[in-house]
Amino acid sequence: MPQAPKRDGLPQGFRSAELGWPELDRIPHPPHRIPLLGDVVGVNRRTPLQDSLRYARELGPVFRRKAFGKEFVFVWGARHTADLADESRFAKHVGLGIANLRPVAGDGLFTAYNHEPNWQLAHDVLAPGFSREAMAGYHPMMLAVARQLTEHWDSAAATGRAVDVPGDMTKLTLETIARTGFGHDFGSFARSRPHPFVTAMVGTLTYAQRLNTVPFPLAPLLLRSASRRNAADIAYLNHTVDELIRARRASGRGDGDLLDRMLETAHPETGERLEPRNVRRQVITFLVAGHETTSGALSFALHYLSRHPEVAARARAEVDRVWGDAAEPAYEQVARLRYVRRVLDESLRLWPTAPAFAREARQDTVLAGEHPMRRGAWALVLTPMLHRDPEVWGADAERFDPDRFDAQAVRSRAPHTFKPFGTGARACIGRQFALHEATLVLGLLLRRYELRPDPAYRLRVTERLTLMPEGLRLHPERRTPVREPASDLRCPVPGAGD
């Protein structure tokens, strides 16, 4: 990937590690390095993250890999990661697959370079959209979407069919962010196949990852057909969002949701507003990031609940106790599901669906007192390995155990050892939205169903920049009694059925 123009003396985008790590030779790398090709022996281009986890176990808390002339430094040790979290010395680095998403997301919150002003403007304008008051307003719409999911699962339970967990969680989370944030209904549960928006989104994420697996000079040749498909995917995403924005401007109905804030709200201090092109980029960012990672988190959590019936029983008992005989939980009752939240956190520990984040040095420094870094040097934090560091999580770090997140255990751990949402000023703005949604959905499903796994299933993880359990299917069985809502409280939204 070519470097973008420099600003303040720092190139943006990818730069190979030898440019920023003066003692790079001290950092271990895999054996059998091949000239020109690098560390490609025994790797799979479809599982670069899982290959890196394997090397991490062999090479230690700081290591490097080289592919097609590009050198990468990976970090996962808790002490090193805590140092990288120091905002006075390090900042977010946009590189690898994230920079490859800039043709579609541009200077959106997730993909903006630090020097681009729109990310801070958007953050300041949109942050009130994730306040406690705003979250309470989203809660009824989250329940309405969850009802569509349970109707679908009720039908499967009645006929003994298995459900496609990742597919259904994707439908649920896409509808949730689309309705709560943008007043739009994709009609996902009325479709037998994924909505074209989801297909295009998966295409762009997959293409962004593939760009890292081929030499840059050969990418136009080797990925010619894939590049055409990616261009078509981007065009579809842009068209969908442009139509969504056009409909909002025409109707003027948004009740202060995220799209209203993007279109109408000025920065409280500067009076600046988001420009139209950036609004499109922010909407795409929220629609993609706001559902893809949460659907993965829910899918992994449901996998572990189905495989650990004792955990499921304990979580279900908490739901029954906290929610009582209420037809549906109130907003405040979701936060009281502390053990369900531990299940979610433990699932995110083992398989954080956004599995890495990159940090760059703001100035010449030394990482954890060991490795000199020049200004602009960067490293990729492997979150799943950070979450498996035996010095923090113990010798049984691979074991699923939600009690790792009871209050006393959390207080006893050092800061910066659990990072499923990134770190610092550029950490995920929608964290509380995702956690409320996921905890609510897990509670609803546990109260309504027993979750029966396929005994032959073995967890396989598919990678498309984010992580998802591949081929996960469960058999939901209705529990009795389950009190039904007294009335249909679905929230009609503009654009229903698009």
Side-chain angles (χ1 to χ4, degrees):
M1 181 189 305
Q3 290 181 357
K6 294 185 178 183
R7 182 182 177 92
D8 299 331
L10 291 178
Q12 306 302 324
F14 179 80
R15 46 194 180 273
S16 195
E18 62 269 13
L19 301 176
W21 296 75
E23 298 181 13
L24 187 65
D25 288 346
R26 291 178 48 220
I27 299 176
H29 64 75
H32 315 302
R33 179 169 282 191
I34 299 173
L36 299 180
L37 296 179
D39 305 313
V40 297
V41 174
V43 302
N44 184 333
R45 66 181 179 87
R46 289 186 171 85
T47 58
L49 184 278
Q50 291 166 84
D51 288 341
S52 293
L53 299 186
R54 175 165 52 87
Y55 285 129
R57 293 181 177 95
E58 298 170 1
L59 298 172
V62 182
F63 68 99
R64 57 189 168 116
R65 293 182 64 186
K66 190 171 189 176
F68 308 120
K70 298 185 290 190
E71 188 95 53
F72 309 87
V73 172
F74 297 84
V75 170
W76 60 267
R79 183 166 54 87
H80 304 85
T81 303
D83 206 36
L84 288 171
D86 180 352
E87 286 282 292
S88 69
R89 293 164 51 227
F90 296 94
K92 174 172 179 169
H93 173 75
V94 176
L96 299 170
I98 307 306
N100 294 340
L101 290 174
R102 282 181 60 86
V104 62
D107 56 352
L109 278 169
F110 184 55
T111 47
Y113 293 125
N114 292 316
H115 72 265
E116 292 177 313
N118 275 328
W119 83 261
Q120 187 69 65
L121 172 60
H123 184 279
D124 293 347
V125 166
L126 294 173
F130 297 98
S131 66
R132 187 180 186 279
E133 180 182 10
M135 292 292 301
Y138 302 146
H139 180 75
M141 285 183 277
M142 291 183 178
L143 284 170
V145 178
R147 275 185 228 115
Q148 290 191 301
L149 172 70
T150 55
E151 287 172 6
H152 176 62
W153 279 30
D154 283 353
S155 175
T159 57
R161 290 183 289 110
V163 294
D164 172 6
V165 174
D168 287 347
M169 294 305 108
T170 295
K171 291 178 180 180
L172 173 115
T173 55
L174 176 64
E175 292 299 332
T176 299
I177 186 61
R179 296 189 200 184
T180 58
F182 308 103
H184 185 76
D185 185 347
F186 281 100
S188 297
F189 285 100
R191 296 172 174 271
S192 58
R193 300 170 64 86
H195 191 283
F197 186 92
V198 173
T199 304
M201 177 212 70
V202 171
T204 59
L205 292 175
T206 303
Y207 181 78
Q209 178 158 295
R210 286 192 66 189
L211 280 178
N212 290 322
T213 67
V214 298
F216 174 75
L218 299 181
L221 177 65
L222 297 179
L223 300 179
R224 182 180 300 169
S225 62
S227 178
R228 287 196 296 267
R229 287 195 301 273
N230 186 60
D233 289 337
I234 292 174
Y236 183 83
L237 295 176
N238 287 341
H239 173 75
T240 300
V241 170
D242 287 346
E243 286 298 300
L244 188 156
I245 295 171
R246 182 196 59 76
R248 172 60 59 83
R249 289 191 186 278
S251 71
R253 295 166 50 201
D255 300 323
D257 63 10
L258 292 178
L259 184 54
D260 268 1
R261 293 178 184 278
M262 292 179 189
L263 294 174
E264 305 296 339
T265 303
H267 192 282
E269 296 178 3
T270 67
E272 291 180 274
R273 295 177 184 267
L274 295 174
E275 60 188 23
R277 183 174 64 170
N278 187 257
V279 170
R280 174 211 273 173
R281 290 170 170 176
Q282 302 297 357
V283 174
I284 290 176
T285 296
F286 275 96
L287 285 175
V288 174
H291 93 273
E292 172 76 356
T293 52
T294 310
S295 63
L298 278 165
S299 297
F300 281 113
L302 289 167
H303 165 72
Y304 285 114
L305 284 167
S306 73
R307 292 289 173 158
H308 296 271
E310 75 287 354
V311 172
R314 185 174 167 188
R316 187 176 291 114
E318 179 184 62
V319 176
D320 290 342
R321 182 178 68 256
V322 171
W323 291 359
D325 63 355
E328 290 179 325
Y331 171 75
E332 296 79 9
Q333 288 179 298
V334 176
R336 293 171 57 196
L337 297 182
R338 294 182 177 86
Y339 187 72
V340 174
R341 171 64 185 276
R342 291 181 206 169
V343 170
L344 180 62
D345 284 345
E346 177 69 348
S347 302
L348 283 168
R349 181 185 73 85
L350 288 168
W351 292 109
T353 48
F357 60 92
R359 302 284 285 172
E360 66 179 36
R362 296 179 184 270
Q363 66 225 14
D364 290 356
T365 188
V366 180
L367 176 62
E370 296 176 358
H371 298 285
M373 298 175 67
R374 298 190 183 100
R375 182 170 180 253
W378 65 278
L380 190 70
V381 177
L382 287 177
T383 318
M385 280 304 300
L386 168 67
H387 294 173
R388 288 168 165 81
D389 187 338
E391 294 186 8
V392 175
W393 305 96
D396 66 344
E398 295 285 349
R399 184 171 63 89
F400 178 77
D401 179 9
D403 283 335
R404 297 180 199 276
F405 288 91
D406 69 29
Q408 183 176 350
V410 171
R411 286 193 298 268
S412 70
R413 282 193 293 272
H416 307 300
T417 53
F418 182 59
K419 290 288 185 179
F421 296 96
T423 194
R426 301 288 300 275
C428 176
I429 191 175
R431 172 179 180 172
Q432 294 306 320
F433 182 101
L435 291 172
H436 181 85
E437 176 189 7
T439 305
L440 168 65
V441 170
L442 288 178
L444 291 169
L445 296 180
L446 283 164
R447 184 164 73 160
R448 196 173 189 89
Y449 307 104
E450 300 283 350
L451 304 170
R452 307 299 185 195
D454 175 357
Y457 179 77
R458 297 294 178 268
L459 181 62
R460 302 182 303 278
V461 178
T462 187
E463 301 181 25
R464 53 192 188 215
L465 291 185
T466 59
L467 305 181
M468 185 76 76
E470 181 180 344
L472 175 61
R473 301 180 73 82
L474 297 177
H475 288 268
E477 296 179 2
R478 282 291 297 270
R479 296 177 67 219
T480 55
V482 176
R483 180 174 172 181
E484 302 292 351
S487 62
D488 189 347
L489 302 176
R490 285 184 181 82
C491 299
V493 293
D498 284 4

